[in-house]
Amino acid sequence: MVAKVVAEKTALDYAEKSGLNVVTVCPTMALGPLLRPVANVSHEFLIYIIKGGPTLMKNILWHIVDVRDVADALFLIYEIEESAGRYLCAPHHISAKVMVNLLKKTHPNYNYVNCDSDLDPNSIVTPLTSEKLKDLGWKPRKKIEETLLDSIEYYEKAGLLQDVEGRPCRLPHLFHMATEK
């Protein structure tokens, strides 16, 4: 994650000095169907939510974008000559508790992580906006519910929700700030 931020800053600094137009699209947690049968960190987070881990999760906000909407944003940025600078791709946010409750309605047979019931007022997650991207005409097509349910459907088909003996479900280190200590 740090490498991506440093690379983006370096590219934007170079662009400013050289007159090059560098445009970046920064998606938040991108979920939805995968192109390969291996989960990345964002998907490992959702798999942890579904399979249930040993730690209590803080009820904080998560910003989510569908991978198909990210692709649309990238095409739009490429096609619009006036595109410039940095674009946040963060159309949805949802609390951990609301996410778990939503998933339980359609897939009740999973273990799901336990969450605090109150939204954490000291959450380090700041609400983000995609207004700059929307001002170019970007309209996310996927609702958050569809993104989450399509993710589960893909995980089931790929066998990513099956337990593997000796390999407990672990929350990716990147997300440890979301657990109770």
mmCIF file of all heavy atoms in Angstrom, residues 41-79:
data_model
loop_
_atom_site.group_PDB
_atom_site.id
_atom_site.type_symbol
_atom_site.label_atom_id
_atom_site.label_comp_id
_atom_site.label_asym_id
_atom_site.label_seq_id
_atom_site.Cartn_x
_atom_site.Cartn_y
_atom_site.Cartn_z
ATOM 1 N N VAL A 41 -5.663 -9.036 -1.217
ATOM 2 C CA VAL A 41 -5.868 -8.617 0.173
ATOM 3 C C VAL A 41 -7.302 -8.136 0.422
ATOM 4 O O VAL A 41 -7.887 -8.458 1.453
ATOM 5 C CB VAL A 41 -4.833 -7.544 0.577
ATOM 6 C CG1 VAL A 41 -5.128 -6.980 1.955
ATOM 7 C CG2 VAL A 41 -3.427 -8.124 0.554
ATOM 8 N N SER A 42 -7.877 -7.386 -0.505
ATOM 9 C CA SER A 42 -9.256 -6.918 -0.315
ATOM 10 C C SER A 42 -10.216 -8.098 -0.214
ATOM 11 O O SER A 42 -11.109 -8.125 0.637
ATOM 12 C CB SER A 42 -9.685 -6.013 -1.474
ATOM 13 O OG SER A 42 -8.921 -4.834 -1.492
ATOM 14 N N HIS A 43 -10.028 -9.080 -1.066
ATOM 15 C CA HIS A 43 -10.897 -10.253 -1.041
ATOM 16 C C HIS A 43 -10.621 -11.111 0.198
ATOM 17 O O HIS A 43 -11.547 -11.693 0.769
ATOM 18 C CB HIS A 43 -10.747 -11.063 -2.325
ATOM 19 C CG HIS A 43 -11.381 -10.384 -3.500
ATOM 20 N ND1 HIS A 43 -12.718 -10.482 -3.783
ATOM 21 C CD2 HIS A 43 -10.867 -9.553 -4.435
ATOM 22 C CE1 HIS A 43 -13.002 -9.763 -4.852
ATOM 23 N NE2 HIS A 43 -11.891 -9.184 -5.262
ATOM 24 N N GLU A 44 -9.374 -11.175 0.640
ATOM 25 C CA GLU A 44 -9.058 -11.910 1.869
ATOM 26 C C GLU A 44 -9.783 -11.287 3.064
ATOM 27 O O GLU A 44 -10.221 -11.986 3.970
ATOM 28 C CB GLU A 44 -7.552 -11.931 2.122
ATOM 29 C CG GLU A 44 -6.802 -12.855 1.190
ATOM 30 C CD GLU A 44 -5.297 -12.791 1.377
ATOM 31 O OE1 GLU A 44 -4.802 -11.980 2.199
ATOM 32 O OE2 GLU A 44 -4.599 -13.559 0.698
ATOM 33 N N PHE A 45 -9.925 -9.967 3.047
ATOM 34 C CA PHE A 45 -10.667 -9.278 4.100
ATOM 35 C C PHE A 45 -12.126 -9.742 4.110
ATOM 36 O O PHE A 45 -12.670 -10.101 5.151
ATOM 37 C CB PHE A 45 -10.591 -7.761 3.891
ATOM 38 C CG PHE A 45 -11.538 -6.992 4.765
ATOM 39 C CD1 PHE A 45 -11.230 -6.756 6.095
ATOM 40 C CD2 PHE A 45 -12.736 -6.516 4.269
ATOM 41 C CE1 PHE A 45 -12.107 -6.046 6.914
ATOM 42 C CE2 PHE A 45 -13.611 -5.813 5.076
ATOM 43 C CZ PHE A 45 -13.293 -5.581 6.399
ATOM 44 N N LEU A 46 -12.763 -9.753 2.936
ATOM 45 C CA LEU A 46 -14.168 -10.157 2.863
ATOM 46 C C LEU A 46 -14.325 -11.639 3.213
ATOM 47 O O LEU A 46 -15.280 -12.019 3.890
ATOM 48 C CB LEU A 46 -14.762 -9.852 1.486
ATOM 49 C CG LEU A 46 -16.265 -10.116 1.333
ATOM 50 C CD1 LEU A 46 -17.084 -9.374 2.392
ATOM 51 C CD2 LEU A 46 -16.723 -9.732 -0.061
ATOM 52 N N ILE A 47 -13.388 -12.467 2.796
ATOM 53 C CA ILE A 47 -13.432 -13.889 3.156
ATOM 54 C C ILE A 47 -13.333 -14.047 4.670
ATOM 55 O O ILE A 47 -14.040 -14.864 5.265
ATOM 56 C CB ILE A 47 -12.317 -14.672 2.417
ATOM 57 C CG1 ILE A 47 -12.658 -14.748 0.930
ATOM 58 C CG2 ILE A 47 -12.132 -16.065 3.017
ATOM 59 C CD1 ILE A 47 -11.524 -15.236 0.041
ATOM 60 N N TYR A 48 -12.513 -13.241 5.316
ATOM 61 C CA TYR A 48 -12.400 -13.268 6.781
ATOM 62 C C TYR A 48 -13.742 -12.885 7.421
ATOM 63 O O TYR A 48 -14.189 -13.511 8.373
ATOM 64 C CB TYR A 48 -11.295 -12.319 7.244
ATOM 65 C CG TYR A 48 -11.083 -12.306 8.737
ATOM 66 C CD1 TYR A 48 -10.285 -13.260 9.347
ATOM 67 C CD2 TYR A 48 -11.682 -11.336 9.538
ATOM 68 C CE1 TYR A 48 -10.077 -13.257 10.711
ATOM 69 C CE2 TYR A 48 -11.482 -11.326 10.900
ATOM 70 C CZ TYR A 48 -10.680 -12.280 11.491
ATOM 71 O OH TYR A 48 -10.483 -12.273 12.846
ATOM 72 N N ILE A 49 -14.381 -11.864 6.887
ATOM 73 C CA ILE A 49 -15.700 -11.432 7.385
ATOM 74 C C ILE A 49 -16.686 -12.604 7.278
ATOM 75 O O ILE A 49 -17.443 -12.879 8.200
ATOM 76 C CB ILE A 49 -16.236 -10.235 6.563
ATOM 77 C CG1 ILE A 49 -15.383 -8.995 6.777
ATOM 78 C CG2 ILE A 49 -17.699 -9.960 6.851
ATOM 79 C CD1 ILE A 49 -15.721 -8.132 7.935
ATOM 80 N N ILE A 50 -16.683 -13.286 6.153
ATOM 81 C CA ILE A 50 -17.636 -14.365 5.875
ATOM 82 C C ILE A 50 -17.358 -15.596 6.727
ATOM 83 O O ILE A 50 -18.264 -16.174 7.330
ATOM 84 C CB ILE A 50 -17.613 -14.739 4.378
ATOM 85 C CG1 ILE A 50 -18.078 -13.560 3.523
ATOM 86 C CG2 ILE A 50 -18.480 -15.966 4.112
ATOM 87 C CD1 ILE A 50 -17.736 -13.682 2.051
ATOM 88 N N LYS A 51 -16.104 -16.018 6.762
ATOM 89 C CA LYS A 51 -15.755 -17.254 7.459
ATOM 90 C C LYS A 51 -15.681 -17.077 8.974
ATOM 91 O O LYS A 51 -15.755 -18.050 9.709
ATOM 92 C CB LYS A 51 -14.422 -17.796 6.936
ATOM 93 C CG LYS A 51 -14.534 -18.306 5.497
ATOM 94 C CD LYS A 51 -13.221 -18.780 4.967
ATOM 95 C CE LYS A 51 -12.887 -20.142 5.516
ATOM 96 N NZ LYS A 51 -11.693 -20.727 4.900
ATOM 97 N N GLY A 52 -15.559 -15.857 9.425
ATOM 98 C CA GLY A 52 -15.490 -15.605 10.861
ATOM 99 C C GLY A 52 -14.113 -15.874 11.405
ATOM 100 O O GLY A 52 -13.550 -16.931 11.191
ATOM 101 N N GLY A 53 -13.591 -14.885 12.041
ATOM 102 C CA GLY A 53 -12.270 -15.041 12.633
ATOM 103 C C GLY A 53 -12.376 -15.026 14.145
ATOM 104 O O GLY A 53 -13.447 -14.799 14.699
ATOM 105 N N PRO A 54 -11.263 -15.239 14.802
ATOM 106 C CA PRO A 54 -11.281 -15.344 16.263
ATOM 107 C C PRO A 54 -11.385 -14.003 16.988
ATOM 108 O O PRO A 54 -11.635 -13.966 18.175
ATOM 109 C CB PRO A 54 -9.935 -16.015 16.565
ATOM 110 C CG PRO A 54 -9.054 -15.585 15.446
ATOM 111 C CD PRO A 54 -9.949 -15.491 14.244
ATOM 112 N N THR A 55 -11.216 -12.900 16.294
ATOM 113 C CA THR A 55 -11.179 -11.605 16.959
ATOM 114 C C THR A 55 -12.455 -10.811 16.714
ATOM 115 O O THR A 55 -13.056 -10.911 15.664
ATOM 116 C CB THR A 55 -10.015 -10.756 16.406
ATOM 117 O OG1 THR A 55 -9.194 -11.517 15.553
ATOM 118 C CG2 THR A 55 -9.190 -10.179 17.492
ATOM 119 N N LEU A 56 -12.816 -10.012 17.689
ATOM 120 C CA LEU A 56 -13.958 -9.109 17.552
ATOM 121 C C LEU A 56 -13.548 -7.970 16.626
ATOM 122 O O LEU A 56 -12.483 -7.376 16.793
ATOM 123 C CB LEU A 56 -14.356 -8.556 18.923
ATOM 124 C CG LEU A 56 -15.553 -7.619 18.962
ATOM 125 C CD1 LEU A 56 -16.832 -8.377 18.591
ATOM 126 C CD2 LEU A 56 -15.703 -7.012 20.350
ATOM 127 N N MET A 57 -14.383 -7.668 15.647
ATOM 128 C CA MET A 57 -14.064 -6.602 14.705
ATOM 129 C C MET A 57 -14.754 -5.312 15.124
ATOM 130 O O MET A 57 -15.916 -5.316 15.525
ATOM 131 C CB MET A 57 -14.503 -7.002 13.300
ATOM 132 C CG MET A 57 -14.138 -5.969 12.259
ATOM 133 S SD MET A 57 -14.277 -6.595 10.585
ATOM 134 C CE MET A 57 -12.774 -7.523 10.470
ATOM 135 N N LYS A 58 -14.026 -4.211 15.021
ATOM 136 C CA LYS A 58 -14.612 -2.897 15.280
ATOM 137 C C LYS A 58 -15.629 -2.600 14.190
ATOM 138 O O LYS A 58 -15.449 -2.986 13.035
ATOM 139 C CB LYS A 58 -13.531 -1.814 15.260
ATOM 140 C CG LYS A 58 -12.522 -1.911 16.373
ATOM 141 C CD LYS A 58 -11.484 -0.824 16.213
ATOM 142 C CE LYS A 58 -10.374 -0.982 17.225
ATOM 143 N NZ LYS A 58 -9.293 -0.011 16.988
ATOM 144 N N ASN A 59 -16.664 -1.908 14.564
ATOM 145 C CA ASN A 59 -17.693 -1.540 13.593
ATOM 146 C C ASN A 59 -17.318 -0.198 12.972
ATOM 147 O O ASN A 59 -17.816 0.849 13.370
ATOM 148 C CB ASN A 59 -19.060 -1.477 14.277
ATOM 149 C CG ASN A 59 -20.176 -1.360 13.272
ATOM 150 O OD1 ASN A 59 -20.028 -1.738 12.120
ATOM 151 N ND2 ASN A 59 -21.296 -0.830 13.695
ATOM 152 N N ILE A 60 -16.425 -0.243 12.010
ATOM 153 C CA ILE A 60 -15.988 0.971 11.330
ATOM 154 C C ILE A 60 -16.477 0.945 9.884
ATOM 155 O O ILE A 60 -16.940 -0.069 9.390
ATOM 156 C CB ILE A 60 -14.452 1.143 11.382
ATOM 157 C CG1 ILE A 60 -13.730 -0.025 10.730
ATOM 158 C CG2 ILE A 60 -13.985 1.325 12.809
ATOM 159 C CD1 ILE A 60 -12.216 0.115 10.710
ATOM 160 N N LEU A 61 -16.367 2.093 9.231
ATOM 161 C CA LEU A 61 -16.799 2.199 7.837
ATOM 162 C C LEU A 61 -15.739 1.652 6.896
ATOM 163 O O LEU A 61 -14.543 1.859 7.103
ATOM 164 C CB LEU A 61 -17.063 3.663 7.468
ATOM 165 C CG LEU A 61 -18.272 4.320 8.106
ATOM 166 C CD1 LEU A 61 -18.371 5.773 7.651
ATOM 167 C CD2 LEU A 61 -19.552 3.586 7.777
ATOM 168 N N TRP A 62 -16.205 0.973 5.856
ATOM 169 C CA TRP A 62 -15.341 0.455 4.807
ATOM 170 C C TRP A 62 -15.803 1.033 3.487
ATOM 171 O O TRP A 62 -16.993 1.025 3.182
ATOM 172 C CB TRP A 62 -15.397 -1.076 4.773
ATOM 173 C CG TRP A 62 -14.863 -1.649 6.036
ATOM 174 C CD1 TRP A 62 -15.584 -2.098 7.104
ATOM 175 C CD2 TRP A 62 -13.496 -1.772 6.394
ATOM 176 N NE1 TRP A 62 -14.733 -2.510 8.101
ATOM 177 C CE2 TRP A 62 -13.441 -2.325 7.690
ATOM 178 C CE3 TRP A 62 -12.295 -1.489 5.750
ATOM 179 C CZ2 TRP A 62 -12.251 -2.586 8.352
ATOM 180 C CZ3 TRP A 62 -11.114 -1.755 6.404
ATOM 181 C CH2 TRP A 62 -11.101 -2.297 7.689
ATOM 182 N N HIS A 63 -14.869 1.553 2.708
ATOM 183 C CA HIS A 63 -15.175 2.091 1.381
ATOM 184 C C HIS A 63 -14.955 0.990 0.357
ATOM 185 O O HIS A 63 -13.890 0.380 0.314
ATOM 186 C CB HIS A 63 -14.275 3.285 1.074
ATOM 187 C CG HIS A 63 -14.564 4.449 1.963
ATOM 188 N ND1 HIS A 63 -13.957 4.615 3.178
ATOM 189 C CD2 HIS A 63 -15.422 5.472 1.835
ATOM 190 C CE1 HIS A 63 -14.413 5.704 3.756
ATOM 191 N NE2 HIS A 63 -15.310 6.246 2.961
ATOM 192 N N ILE A 64 -15.972 0.764 -0.454
ATOM 193 C CA ILE A 64 -15.941 -0.358 -1.398
ATOM 194 C C ILE A 64 -16.319 0.131 -2.790
ATOM 195 O O ILE A 64 -17.201 0.973 -2.953
ATOM 196 C CB ILE A 64 -16.912 -1.471 -0.929
ATOM 197 C CG1 ILE A 64 -16.423 -2.037 0.403
ATOM 198 C CG2 ILE A 64 -17.054 -2.558 -1.984
ATOM 199 C CD1 ILE A 64 -17.357 -3.032 1.051
ATOM 200 N N VAL A 65 -15.640 -0.437 -3.779
ATOM 201 C CA VAL A 65 -15.972 -0.180 -5.174
ATOM 202 C C VAL A 65 -15.951 -1.524 -5.902
ATOM 203 O O VAL A 65 -15.155 -2.403 -5.569
ATOM 204 C CB VAL A 65 -14.981 0.828 -5.820
ATOM 205 C CG1 VAL A 65 -13.559 0.315 -5.818
ATOM 206 C CG2 VAL A 65 -15.427 1.214 -7.229
ATOM 207 N N ASP A 66 -16.815 -1.677 -6.851
ATOM 208 C CA ASP A 66 -16.862 -2.896 -7.650
ATOM 209 C C ASP A 66 -15.757 -2.829 -8.702
ATOM 210 O O ASP A 66 -15.532 -1.779 -9.317
ATOM 211 C CB ASP A 66 -18.235 -3.013 -8.333
ATOM 212 C CG ASP A 66 -18.463 -4.383 -8.924
ATOM 213 O OD1 ASP A 66 -17.812 -4.703 -9.950
ATOM 214 O OD2 ASP A 66 -19.273 -5.136 -8.371
ATOM 215 N N VAL A 67 -15.069 -3.953 -8.914
ATOM 216 C CA VAL A 67 -13.983 -3.989 -9.901
ATOM 217 C C VAL A 67 -14.477 -3.588 -11.292
ATOM 218 O O VAL A 67 -13.733 -2.975 -12.066
ATOM 219 C CB VAL A 67 -13.299 -5.374 -9.958
ATOM 220 C CG1 VAL A 67 -12.564 -5.665 -8.684
ATOM 221 C CG2 VAL A 67 -14.282 -6.478 -10.283
ATOM 222 N N ARG A 68 -15.725 -3.888 -11.599
ATOM 223 C CA ARG A 68 -16.271 -3.525 -12.908
ATOM 224 C C ARG A 68 -16.464 -2.018 -13.018
ATOM 225 O O ARG A 68 -16.283 -1.433 -14.097
ATOM 226 C CB ARG A 68 -17.575 -4.290 -13.148
ATOM 227 C CG ARG A 68 -17.322 -5.815 -13.197
ATOM 228 C CD ARG A 68 -18.549 -6.641 -12.973
ATOM 229 N NE ARG A 68 -18.974 -6.594 -11.569
ATOM 230 C CZ ARG A 68 -19.851 -7.434 -11.026
ATOM 231 N NH1 ARG A 68 -20.417 -8.373 -11.772
ATOM 232 N NH2 ARG A 68 -20.172 -7.339 -9.755
ATOM 233 N N ASP A 69 -16.782 -1.361 -11.896
ATOM 234 C CA ASP A 69 -16.883 0.098 -11.892
ATOM 235 C C ASP A 69 -15.504 0.751 -11.970
ATOM 236 O O ASP A 69 -15.350 1.830 -12.554
ATOM 237 C CB ASP A 69 -17.641 0.578 -10.654
ATOM 238 C CG ASP A 69 -19.131 0.290 -10.741
ATOM 239 O OD1 ASP A 69 -19.682 0.263 -11.862
ATOM 240 O OD2 ASP A 69 -19.766 0.091 -9.681
ATOM 241 N N VAL A 70 -14.493 0.103 -11.406
ATOM 242 C CA VAL A 70 -13.117 0.605 -11.543
ATOM 243 C C VAL A 70 -12.718 0.569 -13.013
ATOM 244 O O VAL A 70 -12.140 1.530 -13.536
ATOM 245 C CB VAL A 70 -12.124 -0.207 -10.681
ATOM 246 C CG1 VAL A 70 -10.684 0.244 -10.956
ATOM 247 C CG2 VAL A 70 -12.442 -0.075 -9.205
ATOM 248 N N ALA A 71 -13.035 -0.525 -13.695
ATOM 249 C CA ALA A 71 -12.718 -0.632 -15.123
ATOM 250 C C ALA A 71 -13.404 0.479 -15.909
ATOM 251 O O ALA A 71 -12.781 1.119 -16.774
ATOM 252 C CB ALA A 71 -13.129 -2.005 -15.654
ATOM 253 N N ASP A 72 -14.669 0.755 -15.595
ATOM 254 C CA ASP A 72 -15.385 1.842 -16.264
ATOM 255 C C ASP A 72 -14.697 3.187 -16.015
ATOM 256 O O ASP A 72 -14.571 4.011 -16.917
ATOM 257 C CB ASP A 72 -16.836 1.922 -15.770
ATOM 258 C CG ASP A 72 -17.699 0.779 -16.265
ATOM 259 O OD1 ASP A 72 -17.289 0.058 -17.202
ATOM 260 O OD2 ASP A 72 -18.796 0.598 -15.693
ATOM 261 N N ALA A 73 -14.246 3.403 -14.779
ATOM 262 C CA ALA A 73 -13.568 4.659 -14.429
ATOM 263 C C ALA A 73 -12.263 4.801 -15.213
ATOM 264 O O ALA A 73 -11.952 5.880 -15.735
ATOM 265 C CB ALA A 73 -13.298 4.712 -12.922
ATOM 266 N N LEU A 74 -11.520 3.720 -15.325
ATOM 267 C CA LEU A 74 -10.259 3.769 -16.067
ATOM 268 C C LEU A 74 -10.492 4.076 -17.543
ATOM 269 O O LEU A 74 -9.766 4.887 -18.138
ATOM 270 C CB LEU A 74 -9.501 2.449 -15.899
ATOM 271 C CG LEU A 74 -8.933 2.195 -14.502
ATOM 272 C CD1 LEU A 74 -8.487 0.753 -14.365
ATOM 273 C CD2 LEU A 74 -7.805 3.157 -14.194
ATOM 274 N N PHE A 75 -11.501 3.444 -18.144
ATOM 275 C CA PHE A 75 -11.825 3.730 -19.541
ATOM 276 C C PHE A 75 -12.234 5.187 -19.712
ATOM 277 O O PHE A 75 -11.820 5.849 -20.663
ATOM 278 C CB PHE A 75 -12.941 2.809 -20.054
ATOM 279 C CG PHE A 75 -12.469 1.442 -20.436
ATOM 280 C CD1 PHE A 75 -13.033 0.327 -19.854
ATOM 281 C CD2 PHE A 75 -11.466 1.262 -21.383
ATOM 282 C CE1 PHE A 75 -12.594 -0.947 -20.197
ATOM 283 C CE2 PHE A 75 -11.027 -0.005 -21.739
ATOM 284 C CZ PHE A 75 -11.593 -1.119 -21.141
ATOM 285 N N LEU A 76 -13.048 5.698 -18.808
ATOM 286 C CA LEU A 76 -13.514 7.083 -18.891
ATOM 287 C C LEU A 76 -12.334 8.047 -18.811
ATOM 288 O O LEU A 76 -12.224 8.968 -19.632
ATOM 289 C CB LEU A 76 -14.509 7.365 -17.755
ATOM 290 C CG LEU A 76 -15.064 8.783 -17.709
ATOM 291 C CD1 LEU A 76 -16.025 9.021 -18.871
ATOM 292 C CD2 LEU A 76 -15.781 9.015 -16.383
ATOM 293 N N ILE A 77 -11.454 7.832 -17.846
ATOM 294 C CA ILE A 77 -10.284 8.707 -17.677
ATOM 295 C C ILE A 77 -9.423 8.684 -18.935
ATOM 296 O O ILE A 77 -8.917 9.704 -19.386
ATOM 297 C CB ILE A 77 -9.455 8.251 -16.448
ATOM 298 C CG1 ILE A 77 -10.218 8.471 -15.156
ATOM 299 C CG2 ILE A 77 -8.099 8.931 -16.397
ATOM 300 C CD1 ILE A 77 -10.530 9.898 -14.827
ATOM 301 N N TYR A 78 -9.250 7.506 -19.504
ATOM 302 C CA TYR A 78 -8.438 7.358 -20.713
ATOM 303 C C TYR A 78 -9.059 8.108 -21.892
ATOM 304 O O TYR A 78 -8.356 8.706 -22.703
ATOM 305 C CB TYR A 78 -8.285 5.872 -21.046
ATOM 306 C CG TYR A 78 -7.480 5.618 -22.295
ATOM 307 C CD1 TYR A 78 -6.090 5.754 -22.281
ATOM 308 C CD2 TYR A 78 -8.101 5.258 -23.482
ATOM 309 C CE1 TYR A 78 -5.338 5.533 -23.432
ATOM 310 C CE2 TYR A 78 -7.357 5.033 -24.628
ATOM 311 C CZ TYR A 78 -5.980 5.174 -24.601
ATOM 312 O OH TYR A 78 -5.252 4.961 -25.747
ATOM 313 N N GLU A 79 -10.376 8.075 -21.987
ATOM 314 C CA GLU A 79 -11.056 8.653 -23.142
ATOM 315 C C GLU A 79 -11.239 10.165 -23.052
ATOM 316 O O GLU A 79 -11.411 10.821 -24.081
ATOM 317 C CB GLU A 79 -12.419 7.983 -23.334
ATOM 318 C CG GLU A 79 -12.295 6.535 -23.787
ATOM 319 C CD GLU A 79 -13.623 5.808 -23.841
ATOM 320 O OE1 GLU A 79 -14.618 6.299 -23.265
ATOM 321 O OE2 GLU A 79 -13.661 4.729 -24.472
#
